[in-house]
Every structure is written in structure tokens, then in C-alpha cells.
Amino acid sequence: MEVTNTVDIFHGEGSALLVKAILSLKTEEECRAFLEDLMTGKEIQDCSQRILVAKLLREKLVYNQIARRTGASTATISRVNRCCAYGAGGYQTVLDRLENK
């Protein structure tokens, strides 16, 4: 069964468990250990790159500056930018909270 939109992704038992698992983490060490067990190194790098791209977009850097700094393709930067502008608000929530720490 192919998932066609993000709303469908969060209706399964596994996705509910994933969200609860993330919410249960209490320290950076726990988070790193969980992510290392959950994802491949490449998946961690990709996710890390995307959150950095979102941060740099928020800082008003232009695409070519972001590409040089992160190694992200313009397609990735564009996708992250679209999520920041029209997505569910996840990047905004996380970046707001990180700025306030």
C-alpha cells in the first residue's frame, strides 16, 4: 500500500509508536542512540542536512550560499523551503524552540 499524503502516514500503529518513542526521549544521548539504531548513517545525514537548510533559510541565506555551506542540492533546498512556507509547521516549531534556548 503506497502512502499518498502525509496525513495518511500518521494513521498507522507503527507511526503512532514512532511519535511516542521520540516523545519519550529525555537526553541528547538517548536521542543519538535511538536515531543511530533507527536510521542508516545516510538517513541521519539527510535529516541533519534538511534541518540545517531550514535554519539557514530562516536566516535569509540564498540558495547558492546554502548549497555551498551544506552540500544540499537546490532541489532539496527548494523542498525544505516549500515545507517551511506551506508545510505542517514542524520546522518552524523546532527552530522557534531552539532559538529560545
Side-chain angles (χ1 to χ4, degrees):
M1 179 175 143
E2 185 176 320
V3 176
T4 57
N5 69 51
T6 57
V7 174
D8 293 339
I9 293 170
F10 292 105
H11 287 306
E13 182 180 358
S15 59
L17 183 59
L18 175 61
V19 169
K20 289 177 184 176
I22 292 169
L23 289 171
S24 76
L25 300 170
K26 298 196 182 339
T27 65
E28 285 186 30
E29 293 78 22
E30 288 178 355
C31 187
R32 283 189 179 102
F34 180 65
L35 292 175
E36 185 177 334
D37 287 348
L38 180 67
M39 298 191 286
T40 65
K42 176 74 168 114
E43 290 168 331
I44 293 169
Q45 287 177 332
D46 289 347
C47 291
S48 300
Q49 183 184 67
R50 288 182 196 132
I51 189 68
L52 180 56
V53 166
K55 179 182 179 287
L56 298 175
L57 285 166
R58 187 178 177 118
E59 293 172 5
K60 306 292 186 204
L61 271 70
V62 296
Y63 278 31
N64 64 352
Q65 293 172 311
I66 295 170
R68 272 196 308 272
R69 185 158 164 192
T70 66
S73 68
T74 55
T76 295
I77 297 167
S78 180
R79 181 186 181 283
V80 171
N81 190 46
R82 201 168 37 257
C83 288
C84 289
Y86 307 109
Y91 283 122
Q92 181 177 338
T93 297
V94 167
L95 293 173
D96 285 349
R97 289 183 183 160
L98 291 173
E99 278 184 6
N100 292 327
K101 283 196 169 199

